[in-house]
Amino acid sequence: MRYEAVIGLEVHVELQTKTKAFCGCTTEFGGKPNSHVCPVCLGLPGALPMINRQVVDFALKTGLALNCKINTFNRFDRKNYFYPDAPKNYQITQNDFPICHDGYVEIETSDGSIKRIGIERIHMEEDAGKLMHTSKGSLVDFNRSGVPLIEIVTKPDIRTPEEATAYLTKLRAILFALGVSDVKMEEGSLRCDGNISVREVGVTTLGVKSEVKNMNSFKALEKALGYEYRRQCEAVENGERLTVETRRWDDSIEETRLMRSKEMANDYRYFPEGDLVTLDISDEWIERVRKTIPELPHEKAERFVREYGIPKYDAMVLTLTADMADFFDEAAKEAKDGKAVSNWIMGDLSRLMNENGTWIADLKFGPRELSGLVAIIKDGTISSAMGKKVLEFMFEEGKDPASIVKERNMVQVSDEGALLEEVKKVLAANPKVVEDYRAGKTKILGFAVGQVMKATKGQANPTVINKLVAEELERLK
Ligand SMILES: [Zn+2]
């Protein structure tokens, strides 16, 4: 039987605000344990929370960028649970009225087609503290307690681990471009849980799902979902009854482990957070936030294809980082030849950067210099073969290409009179070439051109040399 996976992802994003969601404490990562705290985020009796406007702005910005509808009526709820990292014994979140709903993200699938992954909802909530288990016992650090989060929940539209990775990659790039989070998975700014079930291909009802936690890297996400898919398929094949479970990905053994089954599931007893007023979001507020959304990476890539006529693949690579995209954009605009600029960046420049471990921001020259290189090749000042050398000097010295060419006397010689002398000299020194040509071996032409190029140390214009050698051989025939 053939099976398919049905996957939905829940992504927690730590927002890059200066202060926490409901108090004025700093959100800075690290710091001495329990030094970024106050009565509100310590959950002391009588302390009252107050919503940070920036949190709402960031949630709105994300929702609008992910094509969501906005709930103008917002309420916060208490999610009750008892755990040492939650000092109030509840988390402030949004259960019934999430700020954003019904949006989508478009991903490219392995066959190159575009697929929409639906966004079910985005809600605002606060983070918990951190437990540290030492040999002397367990300690708790509340620095993270109250740090603002948004949770982005997809519809069960994802079918393979690869699609899940494509979705998370796209989402991460958008969040980064929006400036709402630093999206560092290794520091926990971006955390991903997934729901997965399997069913026979063609069936439209949903199978029994398991929730997989602790997929803290792209690699873990793909491996964990792959493992869970195989585990569930095997169980179904063997006639086992699957149960709703929460499982934890263990990176060291590359397996998911049972955390709890449905019978042990928490009942969070949600109820409205009475300490916070409801939040009405006006159209003006939404429009003000909408104006702050920059051009997103995929929009940039589409524009590059449209404006500069470069292939889709090039556009995708060039927009992987904002630095690279801006560098290309500026150089291509200046050079009026996007394809040439893209070829230099993706080819020789990337190679030099890789070999030297250099980032685009550390380059000693700017986009203007790269467009200058394209220009002097186009106008015939240097050949493209010489361009490679010039780029290396630009990379090392940071000078503009025109002065490098001048200083090193690398100018291409196109003067027919001077070059004809060289051609004559080479042919006189190689009588066999002329003989062969007479005998009908026209292929010898290429060899003769190579000899002239060598004699002129690569500075001769190859087009002119080609023409002159052909003419001279015909004359001597
Ligand atoms: Zn605080």
Side-chain angles (χ1 to χ4, degrees), residues 20 22-26 36-42 142 145-146:
K20 293 184 179 180
F22 304 109
C23 63
C25 295
T26 176
H36 305 163
V37 290
C38 74
V40 174
C41 55
L42 284 174
F142 288 116
S145 167

Side-chain angles (χ1 to χ4, degrees), residues 345-408:
I345 295 181
M346 309 247 310
D348 289 82
L349 184 56
S350 290
R351 176 182 55 79
L352 286 169
M353 282 168 39
N354 283 340
E355 285 169 6
N356 294 279
T358 310
W359 294 92
I360 205 107
D362 309 327
L363 285 181
K364 291 180 183 162
F365 64 91
R368 187 174 278 268
E369 281 71 37
L370 186 63
S371 76
L373 178 66
V374 170
I376 59 172
I377 294 169
K378 228 183 212 174
D379 70 13
T381 309
I382 58 169
S383 64
S384 45
M386 254 195 285
K388 287 175 188 275
K389 284 233 166 63
V390 173
L391 184 73
E392 280 174 23
F393 286 124
M394 286 162 68
F395 188 84
E396 281 161 26
E397 300 166 5
K399 287 188 187 134
D400 73 287
S403 15
I404 290 170
V405 167
K406 206 169 157 199
E407 266 171 34
R408 293 187 164 74

